[in-house]
Amino acid sequence: LKIEKNKHTIITGPNGSGKSTLLGLSAGLLFSQEGKIESFSNRFGYVGVTPLIVPGTLRENLLYGNIKNIQDKELLEYIDKFQLFNEKSGNDLDKTVNNKTLSSGQLQKISFIRSLLAEVDVLLLDESTSNLDENSRKLIFELLKNSEITIINSTHNHQDFEYDNHLKIE
């Protein structure tokens, strides 16, 4: 299997067919029993159904794993663009957040923002828009369409995305 660099590859298949396992192998989170995975980069982003949120502030979660120096102004621009909160008062970067204070859609938005801020080379998506409202989905689709990164996207709703390649697992 070869995934093309800077292309959007959709992976579909029934539950339990190995889509998420393939993403885990690609990212180096899982190790294969045989064969090998090669990648042109080790700069991966991941957005799934239940993204990682660390105990801490909104700023810490947006910057988690990022080595770049990113100004608060840029963080606030992404928060506004993604409409992370309904009210501007929610845009407090020092606000403590966790998976109990945020909706599942907000968790996914934070994960998307985190990947965009990190300027990843490979973006792994695992049912990444399943909890998002229509406006947020449209924003994500537009950002993905205009990106020049490698996207490996496991989804049951491939018709929602513009993509270059389609891998069906049976």
Side-chain angles (χ1 to χ4, degrees):
L1 168 66
K2 184 173 182 172
I3 306 280
E4 292 184 60
K5 182 178 179 181
N6 295 339
K7 299 290 184 182
H8 187 159
T9 299
I10 294 281
I11 302 171
T12 60
N15 292 340
S17 62
K19 299 180 301 293
S20 296
T21 300
L22 180 58
L23 295 180
L25 289 166
S26 299
L29 299 172
L30 301 174
F31 300 99
S32 63
Q33 299 289 320
E34 40 185 273
K36 64 180 178 176
I37 304 284
E38 294 178 358
S39 177
F40 68 94
S41 175
N42 63 354
R43 294 179 43 210
F44 286 83
Y46 172 83
V47 181
V49 176
T50 53
L52 171 70
I53 297 295
V54 297
T57 66
L58 177 58
R59 178 186 293 105
E60 290 167 334
N61 273 280
L62 291 170
L63 296 175
Y64 182 78
N66 199 325
I67 58 172
K68 294 174 33 188
N69 183 18
I70 298 173
Q71 301 298 313
D72 286 355
K73 180 182 178 195
E74 186 174 358
L75 297 177
L76 291 169
E77 286 171 2
Y78 272 106
I79 288 170
D80 283 342
K81 180 186 257 186
F82 276 79
Q83 299 175 339
L84 189 56
F85 299 101
N86 292 332
E87 302 164 0
K88 291 281 186 198
S89 61
N91 295 358
D92 177 5
L93 294 171
D94 295 317
K95 172 182 178 174
T96 300
V97 296
N98 59 51
N99 60 359
K100 291 179 180 37
T101 62
L102 298 169
S103 72
S104 56
Q106 288 171 314
L107 298 174
Q108 285 185 320
K109 289 177 184 183
I110 287 173
S111 193
F112 267 110
I113 294 170
R114 183 186 301 145
S115 293
L116 294 170
L117 288 168
E119 297 178 357
V120 298
D121 293 323
V122 180
L123 182 58
L124 304 172
L125 305 176
D126 195 359
E127 297 297 341
S128 61
T129 59
S130 59
N131 297 317
L132 297 178
D133 59 67
E134 190 60 31
N135 286 338
S136 297
R137 290 166 51 94
K138 285 179 182 177
L139 172 65
I140 297 295
F141 297 153
E142 191 64 28
L143 290 170
L144 294 178
K145 184 174 88 173
N146 294 320
S147 71
E148 293 189 23
I149 60 175
T150 302
I151 302 168
I152 306 173
N153 185 351
S154 168
T155 181
H156 290 286
N157 300 313
H158 67 281
Q159 64 280 358
D160 291 347
F161 295 90
E162 288 187 34
Y163 54 90
D164 301 297
N165 303 304
H166 186 172
L167 171 65
K168 295 178 185 176
I169 298 178
E170 298 187 17

